[in-house]
Amino acid sequence: MDENEQITSMDRRVAEVAGRLVELQQEQVRDYRSLARLRVEHLSTGALVDSIDQIERQVLALLQARESATGSLEQEIAGTDERRRALEDARATQVDVLDKAAEAVDAAEAATQASLDANPDYRAQRERATDAERIAMHAEDKAGRSEQEREEKGRSYREDPLFIYLWRRQYGTPGYRAGGLTRWLDGKVAGLIRFADARANYSRLQEIPVRLREHAGKARQQADTEFESLHDMDRRAREADGIPPLEAELTAAQDKLGAIDADIAGLEQTYENLLQRKQAFASGEDENYQQAVGYLASEFQREDLRELRQEALATPLPDDDVIIGRLQERQSEREETESIVQDLKESMQQHRQRLH
């Protein structure tokens, strides 16, 4: 038996036990009525019987309304469960459709790839694309290492204040501009630090990574071009073999399955909410049941009922003793039944947690 069946079975059991609680209280009301009629010498007996009759009519009306609401709820639960099962059947069918669509795409893809592998033009283009990619990766790696070397080896030049001063003034190049005294002093500094050789070395550190990066960019562009040509051949072959329509069918099947799953999730939530309402009815937590129990409980608190019971205990009449005995037995059964209801609620909650 699965969790749903366990919960349904326990719902019925809780409903039966909770219903028995109300029956016990109604029987208790009837016992008090019988007891009151026996105690005719009690001045308020007539009014007491009328009061008991009135409260029992109110309780019966509430229980009838509760029974009607329970029937409607059961119909709603059955309808929701039926729709849920129908969606699950539809989902199983749609999974088969999706599997077949995926198999069709896979088979077509495999056939197309086999055809392309047998095509010498395609093999040649794939080789050109692979070679171009290898060259591009090598050029990018070389450019990266050159840029790293520029950063590491150029640090000593950049941290030399005399060198960087002459470098920024473009000393030794056509762009250098300075007056006579400044030019003479700069020349002295340049000679002191051997600026000409340092400038040539630093220039190479700056220029080589730029050239290598330009070469890597061209190599990458060439590789992209070769792969684009390869992809065009793939695309034309796939279109010729009718793969795009098959992929469209696969996407449509996936979308439909997703929609069914969303509907199932919505119905599962609705079903869970309905089961919670059913549990409230089964365990006597609904409004009609609570009102009925409240009416009966308040009636049992009446002072004249307590007096009636005390007088019955004090009289030697056997009929009184029989009724008092029944009241005591029902009180014991009520306590035992309430304990059973509590145990069933806890057990049902555990099943609901596992089902969730």
Side-chain angles (χ1 to χ4, degrees):
M1 184 180 296
D2 61 19
E3 296 298 335
N4 267 321
E5 292 175 345
Q6 287 275 11
I7 291 172
T8 300
S9 176
M10 296 187 73
D11 272 337
R12 286 196 297 267
R13 178 58 178 153
V14 172
E16 292 172 359
V17 177
R20 179 54 184 161
L21 281 175
V22 176
E23 290 176 0
L24 287 171
Q25 289 180 313
Q26 289 179 289
E27 291 169 1
Q28 196 170 2
V29 169
R30 288 192 286 272
D31 283 337
Y32 274 118
R33 182 196 301 115
S34 300
L35 192 61
R37 284 172 176 160
L38 286 175
R39 306 296 297 158
V40 291
E41 68 276 10
H42 197 289
L43 296 178
S44 61
T45 294
L48 181 58
V49 172
D50 291 341
S51 175
I52 293 175
D53 289 342
Q54 181 181 2
I55 200 69
E56 188 170 22
R57 285 193 296 270
Q58 291 176 320
V59 169
L60 287 175
L62 287 170
L63 293 179
Q64 288 173 355
R66 182 175 188 268
E67 183 177 358
S68 176
T70 302
S72 299
L73 181 59
E74 289 287 357
Q75 291 179 356
E76 191 173 358
I77 289 174
T80 301
D81 188 50
E82 184 177 354
R83 292 194 300 273
R84 182 171 60 89
R85 294 180 184 276
L87 278 175
E88 289 173 349
D89 291 340
R91 187 186 191 282
T93 301
Q94 188 59 31
V95 168
D96 291 338
V97 172
L98 179 61
D99 289 343
K100 291 178 180 177
E103 290 172 0
V105 171
D106 290 343
E109 289 276 11
T112 299
Q113 192 59 51
S115 176
L116 287 172
D117 289 340
N119 185 337
D121 293 337
Y122 180 82
R123 291 201 304 270
Q125 181 58 43
R126 183 169 59 192
E127 186 174 350
R128 285 193 295 271
T130 303
D131 290 342
E133 175 65 19
R134 184 174 59 253
I135 291 171
M137 291 180 65
H138 178 71
E140 289 169 347
D141 179 65
K142 191 173 181 179
R145 284 187 281 108
S146 179
E147 289 165 348
Q148 183 178 1
E149 184 179 15
R150 177 183 61 188
E151 178 64 25
E152 294 173 353
K153 292 185 177 181
R155 185 177 298 113
S156 61
Y157 293 96
R158 293 189 298 272
E159 292 176 353
D160 187 336
L162 296 178
F163 172 81
I164 205 65
Y165 161 76
L166 294 174
W167 175 267
R168 288 173 178 170
R169 290 182 63 82
Q170 298 181 331
Y171 183 82
T173 70
Y176 177 69
R177 297 289 184 272
L181 179 60
T182 302
R183 183 179 292 272
W184 179 80
L185 290 173
D186 287 348
K188 287 293 186 180
V189 173
L192 180 66
I193 66 172
R194 302 177 65 181
F195 178 75
D197 293 339
R199 183 176 63 80
N201 292 334
Y202 190 67
S203 295
R204 282 194 296 273
L205 281 175
Q206 300 300 309
E207 293 170 3
I208 291 175
V210 174
R211 291 198 300 271
L212 290 177
R213 181 56 64 186
E214 290 176 354
H215 172 69
K218 292 177 181 179
R220 172 53 59 194
Q221 185 177 5
Q222 180 63 30
D224 291 344
T225 300
E226 296 296 344
F227 271 106
E228 185 62 31
S229 298
L230 186 67
H231 292 159
D232 285 341
M233 296 180 72
D234 279 328
R235 176 178 51 78
R236 290 193 298 269
R238 295 174 82 258
E239 289 175 351
D241 291 343
I243 292 178
L246 294 177
E247 289 179 326
E249 292 179 7
L250 176 61
T251 300
Q254 289 172 331
D255 292 342
K256 187 172 182 180
L257 181 61
I260 292 174
D261 284 339
D263 290 341
I264 289 176
L267 273 181
E268 287 285 1
Q269 185 59 55
T270 299
Y271 189 71
E272 177 63 22
N273 294 339
L274 290 172
L275 288 181
Q276 290 178 0
R277 288 176 54 194
K278 180 181 178 181
Q279 182 183 3
F281 272 90
S283 57
E285 296 172 2
D286 58 286
E287 183 178 357
N288 288 329
Y289 185 91
Q290 291 295 319
Q291 286 186 6
V293 172
Y295 284 147
L296 291 170
S298 63
E299 187 70 11
F300 295 150
Q301 298 301 317
R302 288 172 51 133
E303 184 66 27
D304 46 7
L305 281 182
R306 287 198 296 270
E307 293 178 0
L308 182 64
R309 184 166 182 167
Q310 291 299 323
E311 291 178 4
L313 289 171
T315 182
L317 295 176
D319 292 339
D320 286 359
D321 295 338
V322 171
I323 296 174
I324 291 299
R326 286 203 305 262
L327 286 170
Q328 291 172 340
E329 290 174 0
R330 289 197 178 99
Q331 179 63 30
S332 298
E333 186 178 352
R334 277 185 57 193
E335 293 173 356
E336 182 180 353
T337 304
E338 288 171 353
S339 176
I340 293 174
V341 169
Q342 184 60 35
D343 291 342
L344 286 172
K345 285 181 181 180
E346 293 174 358
S347 178
M348 189 158 51
Q349 182 62 31
Q350 294 176 358
H351 283 289
R352 288 192 183 281
Q353 290 175 350
R354 286 197 293 268
L355 176 62
H356 182 71

